[in-house]
Amino acid sequence: MRQHGHDRPAGSVPGQRPDTSPAPDAADSSHVVTAAAADPAEDTPEPRSRRAFIRNTSIGVGSAAIAAAGISASTAAPASAGVRPADAKAAGSPLALTPSCNGSETPAQMEGPLFKPESPQRTEVVTPGITGVLLTLRGVVYDPECNPLADTLLEFWQTDHNGDYDTSGFSLRGHQYTNARGEYRLATIIPRDYWGRWGQRTPHIHVQAQAPGGPLFITQLYFPDDTQAYGRDFALLNARDQLLNRACVVALEAREDGNYNGTFDFVIKTTV
């Protein structure tokens, strides 16, 4: 079952996850989009129990406090956050593929009602039946001193190209751990907007992040105004969404096939 963002499933508690991860949902196979293959040069951590990972952390009440603080953070808006690398290069201002860490913590945002525990451990979340504009998102997770954080838990979930969340399976949902260099890679699609309890939400990806021994961090990632997907006006959608934080806009680079590469670095706390 796919569900719009304004409906809430029962019993989702962030930070409480079982030991096992079910297999990916193999629903409708009428049209399959295959995400880009993983880079063989990347480190691939062995699967492990997320319950054991969470048990060794000190999340306490941090997740609730951080989530509540996310609404008020939505007004910070650096103008350069949504500049695409290709545009910067054309203007004669080279932009590094992954911006340097400056120690500023990534703004927290609310979790939303449709987090679903027990997601599969994987970097590619596109499952059979999912179509859309492909996105390969990469980045590094840092601490506030700009040290890369290895073995950091990252959980992603989002809507499909129709603006629906999968609440019966795990399409466009998954968790992973950063490699020894603090790097992550997510193969997904550009999500679509939807109408929810906070009005019309602009396309976004939900994220939970947790360094070993650190508090649970929750945020949402957004897309530049000039993103082209599904015939939607991203500039207008972004302007209307009161929850959008421009500091959480990913850097996008269009590929020749009409899909996107993206980058976003996280800076999170390692202690409560």
Side-chain angles (χ1 to χ4, degrees), residues 18-146:
D19 292 305
T20 58
S21 295
D25 181 27
D28 177 31
S29 59
S30 59
H31 190 98
V32 178
V33 176
T34 303
D39 186 345
E42 294 182 357
D43 299 332
T44 305
E46 292 295 326
R48 81 293 303 277
S49 164
R50 286 186 298 170
R51 174 177 291 174
F53 184 94
I54 297 296
R55 185 167 55 241
N56 291 327
T57 65
S58 54
I59 62 173
V61 297
S63 60
I66 292 173
I71 300 178
S72 61
S74 63
T75 56
S80 62
V83 177
R84 290 168 54 178
D87 296 337
K89 184 176 181 181
S93 301
L95 178 67
L97 180 61
T98 301
S100 300
C101 172
N102 61 9
S104 297
E105 294 177 22
T106 303
Q109 292 213 282
M110 68 174 63
E111 180 182 79
L114 292 175
F115 168 73
K116 184 178 180 182
E118 304 180 17
S119 72
Q121 181 178 341
R122 59 189 179 188
T123 61
E124 300 188 8
V125 297
V126 178
T127 55
I130 295 296
T131 62
V133 177
L134 291 176
L135 167 67
T136 300
L137 182 66
R138 299 173 186 266
V140 179
V141 181
Y142 295 101
D143 67 15
E145 286 70 47
C146 293

Side-chain angles (χ1 to χ4, degrees), residues 33-34 84 132-136 188-190 228 230 252-262:
V33 176
T34 303
R84 290 168 54 178
V133 177
L134 291 176
L135 167 67
T136 300
T188 184
I189 65 170
I190 300 289
Q228 298 181 19
Y230 321 125
L252 283 187
E253 181 177 15
R255 305 198 309 238
E256 292 183 357
D257 59 3
N259 299 309
Y260 284 100
N261 292 324

